[in-house]
Coordinates of all heavy atoms in Angstrom, one line a residue:
M220 N 20.2 -8.5 11.0 CA 20.5 -7.5 9.9 C 19.9 -6.2 10.3 O 18.8 -6.0 10.7 CB 19.9 -8.1 8.6 CG 20.1 -7.3 7.4 SD 19.4 -8.0 5.9 CE 20.1 -9.5 5.8
K221 N 20.7 -5.2 10.2 CA 20.3 -3.8 10.6 C 19.5 -3.2 9.5 O 19.8 -3.2 8.3 CB 21.6 -2.9 11.0 CG 22.3 -3.4 12.1 CD 23.5 -2.5 12.4 CE 24.3 -3.0 13.5 NZ 25.5 -2.3 13.7
E222 N 18.4 -2.6 10.0 CA 17.5 -1.8 9.0 C 18.3 -0.7 8.3 O 18.0 -0.6 7.1 CB 16.3 -1.3 9.5 CG 15.2 -2.3 10.0 CD 14.8 -3.2 8.7 OE1 14.5 -2.6 7.8 OE2 14.7 -4.4 8.9
E223 N 19.2 0.0 8.9 CA 19.9 1.1 8.3 C 20.8 0.5 7.2 O 20.8 1.1 6.1 CB 20.8 1.7 9.3 CG 21.7 2.8 8.8 CD 22.6 3.5 9.8 OE1 22.2 3.6 11.0 OE2 23.7 4.0 9.4
E224 N 21.4 -0.6 7.4 CA 22.3 -1.1 6.3 C 21.5 -1.7 5.2 O 21.8 -1.6 4.0 CB 23.2 -2.3 7.0 CG 24.1 -1.8 7.9 CD 24.9 -2.9 8.5 OE1 24.5 -4.1 8.5 OE2 25.8 -2.7 9.3
K225 N 20.4 -2.3 5.5 CA 19.4 -2.8 4.5 C 18.8 -1.6 3.6 O 18.8 -1.7 2.4 CB 18.3 -3.6 5.1 CG 17.4 -4.3 4.3 CD 16.3 -5.1 5.0 CE 15.3 -5.7 4.1 NZ 14.3 -6.5 4.7
S226 N 18.5 -0.5 4.3 CA 18.0 0.7 3.4 C 19.1 1.3 2.6 O 18.8 1.8 1.5 CB 17.4 1.7 4.4 OG 18.3 2.2 5.2
R227 N 20.3 1.2 3.0 CA 21.4 1.8 2.2 C 21.6 0.9 1.1 O 21.7 1.4 -0.1 CB 22.9 1.6 3.0 CG 23.1 2.7 4.0 CD 24.3 2.5 4.8 NE 25.5 2.3 4.0 CZ 26.7 2.1 4.5 NH1 26.9 1.9 5.8 NH2 27.7 1.9 3.7
F228 N 21.5 -0.5 1.2 CA 21.5 -1.3 0.0 C 20.4 -0.9 -1.1 O 20.6 -1.0 -2.2 CB 21.5 -2.9 0.4 CG 21.3 -3.8 -0.8 CD1 22.4 -4.1 -1.6 CD2 20.0 -4.2 -1.2 CE1 22.2 -4.9 -2.7 CE2 20.0 -5.1 -2.2 CZ 21.0 -5.4 -3.0
L229 N 19.2 -0.9 -0.4 CA 17.9 -0.7 -1.3 C 18.1 0.6 -2.1 O 17.7 0.7 -3.2 CB 16.7 -0.7 -0.4 CG 16.4 -2.1 0.1 CD1 15.1 -2.0 1.0 CD2 16.2 -3.1 -1.0
R230 N 18.6 1.6 -1.5 CA 18.8 3.0 -2.2 C 19.7 2.9 -3.3 O 19.5 3.3 -4.4 CB 19.3 4.1 -1.1 CG 18.3 4.7 -0.3 CD 18.8 6.0 0.3 NE 20.0 5.6 1.1 CZ 20.0 5.4 2.4 NH1 18.9 5.5 3.2 NH2 21.2 5.1 3.1
V231 N 20.9 2.2 -3.1 CA 21.7 1.9 -4.3 C 21.1 1.0 -5.3 O 21.3 1.3 -6.5 CB 23.1 1.3 -3.7 CG1 24.0 0.8 -4.9 CG2 23.8 2.2 -2.8
Y232 N 20.5 -0.1 -4.9 CA 20.0 -1.0 -5.9 C 18.8 -0.3 -6.7 O 18.8 -0.5 -7.9 CB 19.3 -2.2 -5.1 CG 18.6 -3.2 -5.9 CD1 19.4 -4.1 -6.6 CD2 17.3 -3.2 -6.1 CE1 18.8 -5.1 -7.4 CE2 16.6 -4.1 -7.0 CZ 17.5 -5.0 -7.7 OH 16.8 -6.0 -8.5
Q233 N 18.0 0.5 -6.1 CA 16.9 1.2 -6.8 C 17.4 2.2 -7.9 O 16.7 2.5 -8.9 CB 16.0 1.9 -5.8 CG 15.2 0.9 -5.0 CD 14.5 1.6 -3.9 OE1 14.5 2.6 -3.7 NE2 13.5 0.7 -3.3
N234 N 18.6 2.7 -7.6 CA 19.1 3.7 -8.6 C 20.0 3.1 -9.6 O 20.6 3.8 -10.4 CB 20.0 4.8 -7.8 CG 19.1 5.7 -7.0 OD1 18.0 6.1 -7.5 ND2 19.5 5.9 -5.8
L235 N 20.2 1.8 -9.7 CA 21.0 1.1 -10.6 C 20.1 0.9 -11.9 O 18.9 0.7 -11.9 CB 21.4 -0.3 -10.2 CG 22.5 -0.4 -9.2 CD1 22.5 -1.8 -8.7 CD2 23.8 0.1 -9.7
P236 N 20.8 1.0 -13.1 CA 20.1 0.8 -14.4 C 19.8 -0.7 -14.4 O 20.6 -1.6 -13.8 CB 21.2 1.0 -15.5 CG 22.2 2.0 -14.8 CD 22.2 1.6 -13.5
L237 N 18.7 -1.0 -15.1 CA 18.2 -2.6 -15.0 C 19.4 -3.5 -15.6 O 19.5 -4.7 -15.0 CB 17.0 -2.6 -15.9 CG 15.7 -2.0 -15.4 CD1 14.7 -2.1 -16.4 CD2 15.4 -2.4 -14.0
N238 N 20.0 -3.1 -16.6 CA 21.1 -4.1 -17.1 C 22.3 -4.3 -16.1 O 22.9 -5.3 -16.0 CB 21.7 -3.5 -18.4 CG 20.7 -3.6 -19.5 OD1 19.9 -4.4 -19.6 ND2 20.9 -2.7 -20.5
E239 N 22.6 -3.3 -15.3 CA 23.6 -3.3 -14.3 C 23.3 -4.3 -13.2 O 24.2 -4.9 -12.6 CB 23.9 -1.9 -13.7 CG 25.0 -1.8 -12.7 CD 26.4 -2.1 -13.3 OE1 26.6 -1.8 -14.5 OE2 27.2 -2.6 -12.7
R240 N 21.9 -4.5 -13.0 CA 21.5 -5.4 -11.9 C 22.0 -6.8 -12.1 O 22.0 -7.6 -11.2 CB 20.1 -5.2 -11.6 CG 19.6 -3.8 -11.2 CD 18.2 -3.7 -11.0 NE 17.8 -2.4 -10.5 CZ 16.7 -2.1 -10.3 NH1 15.6 -3.0 -10.4 NH2 16.3 -0.8 -10.0
R241 N 22.2 -7.2 -13.4 CA 22.6 -8.6 -13.7 C 24.0 -8.8 -13.5 O 24.5 -10.0 -13.5 CB 22.1 -8.9 -15.2 CG 20.7 -8.9 -15.3 CD 20.4 -9.4 -16.7 NE 19.0 -8.8 -17.1 CZ 18.8 -8.2 -18.3 NH1 19.8 -8.1 -19.2 NH2 17.7 -7.7 -18.5
N242 N 24.9 -7.8 -13.3 CA 26.3 -8.0 -13.3 C 26.8 -8.5 -11.9 O 26.1 -8.2 -10.9 CB 27.0 -6.7 -13.5 CG 26.8 -6.2 -15.0 OD1 26.6 -6.9 -15.9 ND2 27.0 -4.9 -15.2
T243 N 27.8 -9.2 -11.9 CA 28.4 -9.9 -10.7 C 29.0 -8.7 -9.9 O 29.7 -7.8 -10.4 CB 29.5 -10.8 -11.1 OG1 28.9 -11.9 -11.8 CG2 30.1 -11.5 -9.8
I244 N 28.7 -8.7 -8.5 CA 29.4 -7.7 -7.7 C 30.3 -8.2 -6.7 O 31.1 -7.5 -6.2 CB 28.3 -6.9 -7.0 CG1 27.2 -7.8 -6.2 CG2 27.5 -5.9 -7.9 CD1 26.3 -7.1 -5.4
L245 N 30.2 -9.5 -6.4 CA 31.2 -10.2 -5.6 C 31.1 -11.7 -5.7 O 30.1 -12.2 -6.3 CB 31.0 -9.8 -4.0 CG 29.6 -9.9 -3.4 CD1 29.7 -11.4 -2.6 CD2 29.4 -9.0 -2.3
V246 N 32.0 -12.3 -5.2 CA 32.1 -13.8 -5.3 C 32.2 -14.4 -3.9 O 32.9 -14.0 -3.0 CB 33.3 -14.3 -6.1 CG1 33.4 -15.9 -6.0 CG2 33.3 -13.8 -7.5
L247 N 31.2 -15.2 -3.5 CA 31.1 -15.9 -2.2 C 31.9 -17.2 -2.2 O 31.8 -18.0 -3.2 CB 29.7 -16.1 -1.6 CG 28.8 -14.9 -1.4 CD1 27.5 -15.3 -0.9 CD2 29.5 -14.1 -0.3
E248 N 32.7 -17.4 -1.2 CA 33.4 -18.7 -1.2 C 32.7 -19.5 0.0 O 32.8 -19.0 1.1 CB 34.9 -18.4 -0.8 CG 35.6 -17.8 -2.0 CD 37.1 -17.8 -1.8 OE1 37.7 -18.8 -1.3 OE2 37.6 -16.7 -2.1
E249 N 32.4 -20.6 -0.3 CA 31.9 -21.6 0.7 C 33.0 -22.5 1.2 O 33.6 -23.2 0.3 CB 30.7 -22.4 0.1 CG 29.4 -21.6 -0.1 CD 28.2 -22.6 -0.5 OE1 28.4 -23.8 -0.4 OE2 27.2 -22.0 -0.9
K250 N 33.2 -22.5 2.5 CA 34.3 -23.3 3.1 C 33.8 -24.8 3.2 O 32.6 -25.0 3.6 CB 34.7 -22.7 4.3 CG 35.3 -21.4 4.1 CD 35.7 -20.8 5.5 CE 36.2 -19.4 5.3 NZ 36.4 -18.6 6.6
G251 N 34.6 -25.7 3.0 CA 34.2 -27.1 3.1 C 35.3 -27.9 2.6 O 36.4 -27.6 2.4
K252 N 35.0 -29.1 2.2 CA 35.9 -30.1 1.7 C 36.5 -29.6 0.3 O 37.6 -29.6 0.0 CB 35.3 -31.5 1.4 CG 35.1 -32.2 2.8 CD 34.6 -33.6 2.5 CE 34.4 -34.3 3.8 NZ 34.0 -35.6 3.6
S253 N 35.5 -29.0 -0.5 CA 36.0 -28.5 -1.8 C 35.5 -27.0 -1.8 O 34.2 -26.8 -1.9 CB 35.5 -29.3 -3.0 OG 34.0 -29.3 -3.1
P254 N 36.4 -26.1 -1.6 CA 35.9 -24.6 -1.7 C 35.1 -24.4 -2.9 O 35.6 -24.6 -4.0 CB 37.1 -23.9 -1.4 CG 38.1 -24.8 -0.9 CD 37.8 -26.1 -1.3
D255 N 33.9 -23.8 -2.7 CA 33.1 -23.4 -3.9 C 33.0 -21.9 -4.0 O 32.6 -21.3 -3.1 CB 31.8 -24.1 -3.8 CG 31.0 -24.2 -5.1 OD1 31.6 -23.9 -6.2 OD2 29.8 -24.4 -5.1
K256 N 33.3 -21.4 -5.2 CA 33.1 -19.9 -5.4 C 31.8 -19.7 -6.1 O 31.5 -20.3 -7.2 CB 34.3 -19.4 -6.2 CG 35.6 -19.5 -5.3 CD 36.7 -18.9 -6.1 CE 38.1 -19.1 -5.3 NZ 39.1 -18.5 -5.9
K257 N 31.0 -18.8 -5.6 CA 29.7 -18.4 -6.4 C 29.5 -17.0 -6.6 O 29.7 -16.2 -5.8 CB 28.4 -19.0 -5.4 CG 28.6 -20.5 -5.2 CD 27.2 -20.8 -4.5 CE 27.3 -22.4 -4.3 NZ 26.1 -22.9 -3.7
P258 N 29.4 -16.6 -7.9 CA 29.2 -15.2 -8.2 C 27.8 -14.8 -7.7 O 26.9 -15.4 -7.8 CB 29.3 -15.2 -9.8 CG 29.0 -16.5 -10.1 CD 29.4 -17.5 -9.0
V259 N 27.8 -13.5 -7.3 CA 26.6 -12.8 -6.8 C 26.3 -11.6 -7.6 O 27.2 -10.8 -7.6 CB 26.6 -12.6 -5.3 CG1 25.4 -11.9 -4.9 CG2 26.9 -13.8 -4.5
S260 N 25.1 -11.5 -8.1 CA 24.8 -10.3 -8.9 C 23.9 -9.4 -7.9 O 23.5 -9.8 -6.9 CB 23.9 -10.6 -10.2 OG 22.6 -11.2 -9.7
W261 N 23.7 -8.2 -8.4 CA 22.7 -7.3 -7.7 C 21.5 -7.9 -7.4 O 20.8 -7.9 -6.4 CB 22.6 -5.9 -8.4 CG 23.9 -5.0 -8.3 CD1 24.8 -4.9 -9.3 CD2 24.3 -4.3 -7.2 NE1 25.7 -4.0 -8.9 CE2 25.5 -3.6 -7.6 CE3 23.7 -4.0 -5.9 CZ2 26.2 -2.7 -6.7 CZ3 24.4 -3.2 -5.1 CH2 25.6 -2.5 -5.5
D262 N 20.9 -8.5 -8.5 CA 19.5 -9.3 -8.3 C 19.6 -10.3 -7.3 O 18.6 -10.3 -6.4 CB 19.1 -9.8 -9.7 CG 18.7 -8.7 -10.6 OD1 18.1 -7.6 -10.2 OD2 18.7 -9.0 -11.8
I263 N 20.6 -11.1 -7.3 CA 20.6 -12.2 -6.1 C 20.9 -11.5 -4.8 O 20.2 -12.1 -4.0 CB 21.9 -13.1 -6.6 CG1 21.7 -13.8 -7.9 CG2 22.0 -14.1 -5.3 CD1 20.5 -14.8 -7.9
A264 N 21.7 -10.5 -4.7 CA 21.8 -9.8 -3.4 C 20.5 -9.3 -2.9 O 20.2 -9.3 -1.8 CB 22.9 -8.7 -3.6
Y265 N 19.7 -8.6 -3.8 CA 18.4 -8.1 -3.5 C 17.5 -9.2 -2.9 O 16.9 -8.9 -1.9 CB 17.8 -7.4 -4.8 CG 16.4 -7.0 -4.4 CD1 16.3 -5.7 -3.7 CD2 15.3 -7.7 -4.7 CE1 14.9 -5.3 -3.5 CE2 14.0 -7.2 -4.5 CZ 13.9 -6.0 -3.8 OH 12.6 -5.6 -3.6
I266 N 17.4 -10.3 -3.5 CA 16.6 -11.3 -3.1 C 17.0 -11.9 -1.7 O 16.2 -11.9 -0.8 CB 16.6 -12.6 -4.1 CG1 15.9 -12.1 -5.3 CG2 15.8 -13.7 -3.5 CD1 16.1 -13.0 -6.6
E267 N 18.3 -12.1 -1.5 CA 18.8 -12.6 -0.3 C 18.6 -11.6 0.9 O 18.2 -12.0 2.0 CB 20.2 -13.0 -0.4 CG 20.5 -14.2 -1.3 CD 20.0 -15.5 -0.9 OE1 19.7 -15.7 0.4 OE2 19.7 -16.4 -1.7
I268 N 19.0 -10.4 0.6 CA 18.8 -9.3 1.7 C 17.3 -9.1 2.0 O 17.1 -8.9 3.2 CB 19.6 -8.0 1.2 CG1 21.1 -8.3 1.1 CG2 19.3 -6.9 2.0 CD1 22.0 -7.2 0.4
S269 N 16.4 -9.1 1.0 CA 15.1 -8.9 1.3 C 14.5 -9.8 2.1 O 13.6 -9.7 3.0 CB 14.3 -8.7 -0.1 OG 14.7 -7.6 -0.9
E270 N 15.0 -11.1 1.9 CA 14.4 -12.3 2.7 C 15.1 -12.4 4.1 O 14.7 -13.2 4.8 CB 14.5 -13.6 1.8 CG 13.7 -13.6 0.6 CD 12.3 -13.5 0.9 OE1 11.7 -14.2 1.9 OE2 11.4 -12.8 0.1
E271 N 16.2 -11.6 4.2 CA 16.9 -11.5 5.5 C 17.5 -12.9 5.8 O 17.5 -13.4 7.0 CB 16.1 -10.9 6.7 CG 15.7 -9.6 6.4 CD 15.0 -8.9 7.6 OE1 14.9 -9.5 8.7 OE2 14.6 -7.7 7.4
T272 N 18.1 -13.6 4.8 CA 18.7 -14.8 5.0 C 20.1 -14.6 5.6 O 20.7 -13.5 5.6 CB 18.8 -15.6 3.6 OG1 19.7 -14.9 2.8 CG2 17.5 -15.8 3.1
K273 N 20.8 -15.8 6.0 CA 22.1 -15.6 6.5 C 23.1 -15.3 5.3 O 24.0 -14.5 5.5 CB 22.5 -17.1 7.1 CG 23.8 -17.1 7.8 CD 24.1 -18.3 8.4 CE 25.6 -18.3 9.1 NZ 25.8 -19.6 9.8
I274 N 22.8 -15.8 4.1 CA 23.7 -15.4 3.0 C 23.5 -13.9 2.8 O 24.5 -13.3 2.4 CB 23.4 -16.3 1.8 CG1 23.8 -17.7 2.1 CG2 24.0 -15.8 0.5 CD1 23.3 -18.7 1.1
G275 N 22.3 -13.4 2.9 CA 22.0 -12.0 2.6 C 22.8 -11.2 3.5 O 23.3 -10.1 3.3
E276 N 22.8 -11.6 4.9 CA 23.5 -10.8 5.7 C 25.0 -10.8 5.5 O 25.8 -9.8 5.5 CB 23.3 -11.5 7.1 CG 24.0 -10.5 8.2 CD 23.5 -11.0 9.6 OE1 22.5 -11.7 9.8 OE2 24.2 -10.5 10.5
T277 N 25.6 -12.0 5.0 CA 27.0 -12.1 4.5 C 27.3 -11.1 3.4 O 28.2 -10.4 3.3 CB 27.4 -13.5 4.2 OG1 27.1 -14.3 5.3 CG2 28.8 -13.6 3.7
I278 N 26.3 -11.1 2.4 CA 26.5 -10.4 1.1 C 26.4 -8.8 1.6 O 27.3 -8.1 1.2 CB 25.4 -10.6 0.2 CG1 25.5 -12.1 -0.3 CG2 25.2 -9.5 -1.0 CD1 24.3 -12.5 -1.1
L279 N 25.5 -8.5 2.5 CA 25.5 -7.1 2.9 C 26.7 -6.6 3.7 O 27.2 -5.5 3.3 CB 24.2 -6.9 3.7 CG 23.8 -5.5 4.2 CD1 23.5 -4.6 3.0 CD2 22.6 -5.5 5.2
N280 N 27.2 -7.4 4.5 CA 28.4 -7.1 5.2 C 29.7 -7.0 4.2 O 30.5 -6.0 4.3 CB 28.8 -8.1 6.3 CG 27.8 -8.1 7.5 OD1 27.2 -7.0 7.6 ND2 27.6 -9.2 8.0
K281 N 29.7 -7.8 3.2 CA 30.8 -7.7 2.3 C 30.6 -6.5 1.4 O 31.6 -5.8 1.1 CB 30.8 -8.9 1.4 CG 31.4 -10.1 2.1 CD 31.7 -11.3 1.3 CE 32.1 -12.5 2.0 NZ 33.5 -12.9 1.7
L282 N 29.4 -6.1 1.0 CA 29.2 -4.9 0.2 C 29.6 -3.6 0.8 O 30.2 -2.6 0.4 CB 27.7 -4.8 -0.2 CG 27.3 -5.9 -1.3 CD1 25.9 -5.7 -1.6 CD2 28.1 -5.7 -2.6
I283 N 29.3 -3.6 2.2 CA 29.7 -2.5 3.1 C 31.1 -2.3 3.3 O 31.8 -1.3 3.1 CB 29.0 -2.6 4.5 CG1 27.5 -2.4 4.3 CG2 29.6 -1.6 5.4 CD1 26.6 -2.6 5.4
K284 N 31.8 -3.6 3.5 CA 33.3 -3.7 3.6 C 34.0 -3.2 2.4 O 35.0 -2.5 2.4 CB 33.6 -5.1 4.0 CG 35.0 -5.2 4.4 CD 35.3 -6.6 4.7 CE 36.1 -6.8 6.0 NZ 36.4 -8.2 6.4
L285 N 33.4 -3.5 1.2 CA 34.0 -3.2 -0.1 C 33.7 -1.7 -0.5 O 34.0 -1.1 -1.6 CB 33.6 -4.1 -1.2 CG 34.1 -5.5 -1.0 CD1 33.4 -6.4 -2.0 CD2 35.6 -5.5 -1.3
N286 N 32.9 -0.9 0.3 CA 32.4 0.3 0.0 C 31.6 0.5 -1.2 O 31.7 1.5 -2.0 CB 33.6 1.3 -0.1 CG 34.2 1.6 1.3 OD1 33.4 1.6 2.4 ND2 35.5 1.7 1.4
L287 N 30.8 -0.6 -1.6 CA 30.0 -0.6 -2.7 C 28.6 0.1 -2.4 O 27.9 0.4 -3.3 CB 29.8 -2.0 -3.3 CG 31.0 -2.6 -4.0 CD1 30.8 -4.0 -4.4 CD2 31.4 -1.7 -5.1
I288 N 28.3 0.1 -1.1 CA 27.1 0.8 -0.7 C 27.4 1.6 0.5 O 28.3 1.6 1.1 CB 26.0 -0.2 -0.3 CG1 26.4 -1.2 0.8 CG2 25.5 -1.1 -1.5 CD1 25.2 -1.9 1.4

């Protein structure tokens, strides 16, 4: 995970109103026998990106691709 991308996310996240942070920003689809769709809020994204998890990297890449950050 690139520090520049992570700092872009943090700048956007810090400027969001508290109520907005609970809203869903994207839906992750897990591939497998039964595809599962999981909504991701700004708060969940913050936790995953801060911990530099694999899911956090996926979320960060999708947010950049969608031009949300």
Side-chain angles (χ1 to χ4, degrees):
M220 184 176 306
K221 296 179 183 174
E222 286 300 315
E223 179 184 326
E224 293 172 350
K225 187 175 174 180
S226 66
R227 280 175 58 184
F228 171 80
L229 292 174
R230 278 193 305 263
V231 172
Y232 180 81
Q233 291 170 350
N234 289 315
L235 288 172
L237 294 177
N238 290 335
E239 183 67 27
R240 293 178 184 181
R241 294 187 207 132
N242 292 336
T243 301
I244 53 172
L245 60 92
V246 177
L247 288 179
E248 293 186 43
E249 289 187 12
K250 297 176 183 173
K252 290 185 178 178
S253 61
D255 194 17
K256 297 180 180 182
K257 296 184 179 186
V259 177
S260 68
W261 286 101
D262 286 332
I263 300 294
Y265 175 78
I266 292 168
E267 295 292 340
I268 292 169
S269 294
E270 295 295 320
E271 297 187 6
T272 64
K273 186 174 181 178
I274 294 171
E276 189 169 343
T277 302
I278 292 169
L279 188 59
N280 290 334
K281 286 187 182 246
L282 290 176
I283 290 170
K284 192 179 219 179
L285 292 169
N286 291 322
L287 291 174
I288 60 168

